[in-house]
Amino acid sequence: MEKIQESNVKTSAWKFLEDENGIMYSVQFDEVPWKFRKSLIEAMKDWNASGTGWHKSSGNQILIYKKYFKSQEDWEKWANTFPLQIVEKKYWGDKVKVVIHGKKSK
């Protein structure tokens, strides 16, 4: 994952749902260069792939994953230790709170 840290991959995360199984989060990786695709897929092997796409102009991929966590704390622990910065968006009606997890930008 060292090489992917140097790429321009952008991430977004959001709470997808909360039920008796826990809290499901979605993470979207944007602008994933083909050469880093395999490394990212390997890093997300314990997540469920839920979508893919690509940017027509750059040719880079979009990868979307979902996973249940037992608690908010478990999610934050994972997000803060992931090698890429993860930008979480929390929605309350018309309001959005942005929380940045993990590797901070330079």
Side-chain angles (χ1 to χ4, degrees):
M1 283 293 290
E2 301 87 32
K3 289 183 180 179
I4 200 164
Q5 289 177 350
E6 299 166 10
S7 70
N8 291 323
V9 174
K10 295 176 179 40
T11 64
S12 297
W14 60 94
K15 186 186 294 188
F16 188 74
L17 64 88
E18 191 169 351
D19 62 19
E20 64 278 354
N21 297 315
I23 305 169
M24 180 181 282
Y25 275 88
S26 289
V27 177
Q28 177 173 323
F29 298 95
D30 238 352
E31 292 291 342
V32 179
W34 284 93
K35 64 183 178 180
F36 296 133
R37 183 177 180 268
K38 188 174 180 179
S39 296
L40 186 55
I41 290 171
E42 177 65 23
M44 299 299 286
K45 66 184 174 193
D46 60 335
W47 285 64
N48 295 315
S50 63
T52 60
W54 71 93
H55 291 278
K56 187 176 179 180
S57 59
S58 67
N60 291 334
Q61 283 201 293
I62 301 166
L63 301 173
I64 305 170
Y65 293 89
K66 291 182 183 173
K67 181 179 178 177
Y68 271 105
F69 288 88
K70 291 179 183 175
S71 67
Q72 179 76 26
E73 292 78 22
D74 287 345
W75 152 252
E76 290 173 0
K77 181 179 177 182
W78 179 87
N80 285 322
T81 59
F82 194 71
L84 295 175
Q85 178 176 296
I86 296 179
V87 179
E88 179 183 359
K89 295 182 180 177
K90 297 181 178 187
Y91 296 92
W92 291 278
D94 294 340
K95 297 181 181 179
V96 179
K97 179 180 179 184
V98 175
V99 179
I100 298 177
H101 299 281
K103 180 186 170 220
K104 303 299 182 214
S105 57
K106 297 176 182 178

